[in-house]
Amino acid sequence: TQKVGAPPLDKFNTVRHTLPMLSLNTATHPEEMAEFEARIQRFLRSSEPIEYVVEPKIDGVAVELLYVDGRFTVGSTRGDGINGEDITLNLKTIRSIPLTLRAEKRGLPQRLEVRGEVFLSRDAFQLMNREREEESQPVFANPRNPAAGSLKQLDSTITAKRPLDVFCHGSGIISGVQFATHLELLDAIKDWGLKPVPFIRICRSLKEIFAYQGEMETRRDELPYEIDGLVVKVNNTELQRRLGEIARSPRWAIAYKFKARQGTTRILDIQPQVGRTGTLTPVASLEPVPIGGVTVKSASLHNMDEIDRKDIRIGDTVVVERAGDVIPYVVQVLTDKRTGEERRFIMPDHCPVCGSGVYREEGEAAYRCIGISCPAKLKESLKFFGSRGAMDIE
């Protein structure tokens, strides 16, 4: 009955994490990974080889699950790392989260704080978008967005209809049980009935990590869920304790991100969009191109300086990349594919929405609409006023 959903809540209560849920520093190049290892060795004052646990980085929503005497008691979001929101009822509807831990293979800790990523599979994501298209609703840009939205439903019966899943990758406080290595913790998580992140590998050198990264980057599109890199962790838990953390990130772990996905397409048109402060942002309309499971139809060109620097023209064939696998932007123009029919974009003298003058301050990149009652500015200002970072109006 817990998996079906409960009556709607009025609001989410706040949960304070016993140990902060830290974010990871990121690396995108082998040189940054070499510096990561060098920092560890400098801190430990040792040049001994380090054993790492390497696992795929699931592109999902971070959660913490609290089990007391084997029973699922509280589930929460990461929030700001210190305080999260109590989403226990929503997490209970996820079938891969056991309400009671298994004790057949090993004893249960009195208190177990498990951390993981809730995600939506590719198939479930595509099905959800097809259904939204049929209902004339806007489609989601990536699987992470509906996963996050599902967890923030005050009505858990809605969450129960979403085929969410979870992989566990770490812990907070564990009472009564100790593990010499991170791999032992993951084995215990599996024995207790939770799902650890799959495709975990022990690597004893950077060379092995780089080889595994290349292997997983090749396989990422074959997986039934989205991954955007690897997470590299020092395996020895005593070394983890000695290394500790800096600011809001552990010294002993890092996210080794994949290269951004790219695609080649053609710019059909460039139109300026007016933002909250009146800034005109040129946006390229593109021939639809699939990049990493998402069909990209437009890309921000940021400002005129960027257009001039890259010499972007209407009709150009361009390489488009999804930064962080989310936001599309133009990487470069393939000038060898020009036919001579391409046209330069010129920023308009008047606002395309209200017709007021457009002004560029000397030394600034931005062109701005100076209309005091421009509908586009008013609309964006109202959206900003109600947003989470301002008045937080649902």
Side-chain angles (χ1 to χ4, degrees):
T1 60
Q2 301 296 300
K3 298 292 182 189
V4 178
L9 299 171
D10 294 326
K11 64 175 184 176
F12 292 117
N13 293 321
T14 299
V15 174
R16 188 172 183 87
H17 303 300
T18 313
L19 292 179
M21 292 183 70
L22 303 173
S23 56
L24 294 177
N25 284 328
T26 60
T28 53
H29 300 99
E31 295 80 10
E32 293 170 305
M33 289 300 299
E35 177 54 30
F36 164 70
E37 181 169 84
R39 284 196 303 270
I40 289 175
Q41 291 177 330
R42 282 198 303 270
F43 189 89
L44 296 175
R45 297 178 182 175
S46 169
S47 58
E48 290 292 313
I50 298 168
E51 184 176 81
Y52 300 101
V53 173
V54 186
E55 60 197 35
K57 185 176 180 297
I58 308 299
D59 189 14
V61 183
V63 297
E64 182 174 71
L65 314 174
L66 170 61
Y67 288 85
V68 177
D69 295 326
R71 295 185 66 83
F72 180 40
T73 308
V74 177
S76 56
T77 62
R78 179 180 177 276
D80 61 5
I82 305 297
N83 297 298
E85 290 182 313
D86 186 339
I87 55 168
T88 308
L89 294 178
N90 288 341
L91 289 172
K92 281 183 175 181
T93 68
I94 300 176
R95 298 186 180 279
S96 51
I97 296 179
L99 303 180
T100 305
L101 297 178
R102 291 201 303 250
E104 295 87 7
K105 294 186 178 180
R106 62 175 78 213
L108 296 176
Q110 181 184 359
R111 182 184 180 91
L112 171 66
E113 297 172 357
V114 180
R115 289 167 179 183
E117 296 282 325
V118 171
F119 64 94
L120 199 63
S121 71
R122 293 181 199 269
D123 287 347
F125 169 66
Q126 290 168 0
L127 176 61
M128 185 178 290
N129 268 351
R130 281 199 299 272
E131 291 173 349
R132 290 179 70 84
E133 281 180 337
E134 290 169 3
E135 295 169 2
S136 299
Q137 295 182 345
V139 297
F140 293 110
N142 55 67
R144 191 183 184 282
N145 289 355
S150 298
L151 291 180
K152 297 302 292 289
Q153 295 287 335
L154 289 169
D155 185 352
S156 62
T157 60
I158 297 174
T159 312
K161 296 172 184 174
R162 309 271 172 90
L164 299 173
D165 206 342
V166 65
F167 285 138
C168 299
H169 54 64
S171 69
I173 295 290
I174 304 178
S175 301
V177 184
Q178 290 187 325
F179 301 101
T181 66
H182 186 70
L183 190 62
E184 288 181 13
L185 165 66
L186 297 177
D187 287 340
I189 283 173
K190 186 175 182 180
D191 290 344
W192 288 326
L194 292 154
K195 292 171 62 174
V197 176
F199 303 110
I200 291 168
R201 185 172 295 183
I202 294 292
C203 293
R204 296 178 173 84
S205 68
L206 289 178
K207 184 178 179 181
E208 291 183 11
I209 292 174
F210 298 151
Y212 185 45
Q213 196 256 9
E215 178 186 328
M216 290 308 295
E217 191 162 20
T218 302
R219 295 181 58 187
R220 67 186 295 196
D221 290 329
E222 302 170 7
L223 299 177
Y225 42 81
E226 290 280 354
I227 64 172
D228 57 0
L230 303 176
V231 178
V232 180
K233 303 174 182 176
V234 173
N235 191 25
N236 186 297
T237 50
E238 172 59 22
L239 292 184
Q240 289 184 9
R241 187 193 64 77
R242 286 171 56 191
L243 287 163
E245 59 266 348
I246 45 172
R248 300 177 70 84
S249 303
R251 279 195 183 89
W252 48 268
I254 195 167
Y256 189 17
K257 302 296 282 289
F258 293 143
K259 297 184 186 73
R261 288 167 158 146
Q262 295 183 336
T264 301
T265 185
R266 197 168 71 89
I267 295 179
L268 302 175
D269 197 6
I270 299 176
Q271 295 287 341
Q273 291 185 354
V274 184
R276 176 173 60 90
T277 62
T279 301
L280 272 65
T281 302
V283 176
S285 297
L286 308 171
E287 284 185 351
V289 56
I291 303 177
V294 174
T295 300
V296 174
K297 300 177 182 177
S298 64
S300 172
L301 302 180
H302 304 295
N303 53 54
M304 275 305 300
D305 289 352
E306 184 79 354
I307 290 175
D308 292 340
R309 185 176 68 83
K310 294 180 178 176
D311 190 21
I312 298 171
R313 305 178 188 181
I314 298 168
D316 269 335
T317 300
V318 294
V319 176
V320 178
E321 184 171 287
R322 285 173 63 207
D325 280 350
V326 178
I327 305 164
Y329 72 102
V330 173
V331 179
Q332 68 177 104
V333 176
L334 302 179
T335 53
D336 58 328
K337 294 187 178 292
R338 280 183 173 161
T339 63
E341 296 181 4
E342 293 77 16
R343 296 176 288 119
R344 291 187 182 276
F345 170 73
I346 299 171
M347 191 66 78
D349 296 329
H350 293 85
C351 173
V353 178
C354 71
S356 300
V358 170
Y359 179 70
R360 184 182 191 180
E361 190 79 39
E362 188 174 340
E364 283 194 5
Y367 286 79
R368 289 192 172 89
C369 164
I370 59 174
I372 201 164
S373 58
C374 176
K377 290 165 67 172
L378 295 175
K379 180 181 176 183
E380 292 303 316
S381 295
L382 186 60
K383 283 168 63 179
F384 175 75
F385 176 79
S387 70
R388 180 176 291 274
M391 298 306 293
D392 194 15
I393 300 171
E394 292 209 11

